[in-house]
Amino acid sequence: MNEFVYDALPGRVVFGSGVARSGLAREIEALGATRVLVIAADSEADLAQELCAPFDDRVAATFLGVRPHVPVEVAERARAAAVGLDLVLSVGGGSTTGTAKAVALTTGLPVVAVPTTYAGSEVTPVWGLTESDRKTTGTDPRVLPRTVVYDPDLTLTLPTALSVASGLNAMAHCVEALWAPKRNPVSSAVAEDGIRRLSAGLTALTTDATDVEARSDLLLGAYLAGSAFAVAGAGLHHKICHVLGGAFDLPHARTHAIVLPYVLAFNSTTAPDVKARVARALGHTDPVARLHQLAVELGGSGGLRDLGLKESNIDSVLDEILALVPADNPRPVTFDGLTTLLRAAWAGTNPAEELT
């Protein structure tokens, strides 16, 4: 075994059905917070209010202006709302967590996150902001939430299509962690188990969207995915999705769900060990075909064009993506190779036929 370094990230995780309603107040109190900023999207304002009812005397402000990809102007408004407060509580998906992180980045305030999707960003020190149609990401320990409260019950009302897209987004974190720049045996083992649990959850979800065990598998898989990604870092897949999302305001989870099998197909020609691990975790001999099938049949999206991306948009971001691709990507990424990958993902064609 090669030498490696594994930086375990600090943070408290509270996991279980019903824990958001029964235990969130204790977590807020344990951090000594008395003036809390609550961040939630408009669609989850009622849920946030319900969860905060046991400690509403500690809630000093609420920010509901969440937007995908965290535009800089949104971040500035959220930061203004945090002046004089001592903790940020985020209730929602990845965009909500990202907004809380933007506040923590400049204020240093601790964050308590209550995820309602399978984004996984709540256990990473990665932040992202969008300005002038360009998304900038970075890593800073200040944005890593101090406590994460995972409650599968909060995901029961997430529509199946969004659940699948969010689950496949988490799957992308796991797959990416197997070839990302700072990968190591520990993060790879975590990622593989994440794939296994996400696959089990997604499969069960197609039979019964209210299956709490399936939702628990998905939420635990998302936690494992975020944990692996946080240590291993971002690779080709995330560079593509972040640039496309920031430039064209594409839905984050569905973009990741669509692009994933194409990047796996592209890299698997020179990373057969990664392909084998993904296949084992999925319980499927052809992981590229399986992930593409999930994106099409369960997510309802065959290609990026279904999200409103124009084929002509691809040319405008090729150079930007190429400049961000890690030097140790398993397969060298050329202008022509990236063009082929993106056009195949745009059209929704068979990734194995186009890229292997």
Side-chain angles (χ1 to χ4, degrees), residues 191-204:
E192 186 172 341
D193 192 40
I195 294 172
R196 187 175 296 108
R197 291 182 181 278
L198 289 164
S199 178
L202 287 170
T203 300

Side-chain angles (χ1 to χ4, degrees), residues 257-296:
I258 291 170
V259 171
L260 174 59
Y262 294 92
V263 177
L264 178 59
F266 180 86
N267 275 344
S268 63
T269 58
T270 51
D273 55 329
V274 171
K275 184 177 181 180
R277 291 190 78 153
V278 177
R280 182 170 65 233
L282 288 174
H284 200 283
T285 57
D286 189 342
V288 172
R290 176 57 176 159
L291 291 174
H292 187 240
Q293 177 189 35
L294 285 171
V296 174

Side-chain angles (χ1 to χ4, degrees), residues 21-33:
R21 292 180 171 87
S22 65
L24 181 57
R26 287 195 302 272
E27 300 305 320
I28 299 296
E29 292 168 5
L31 291 171

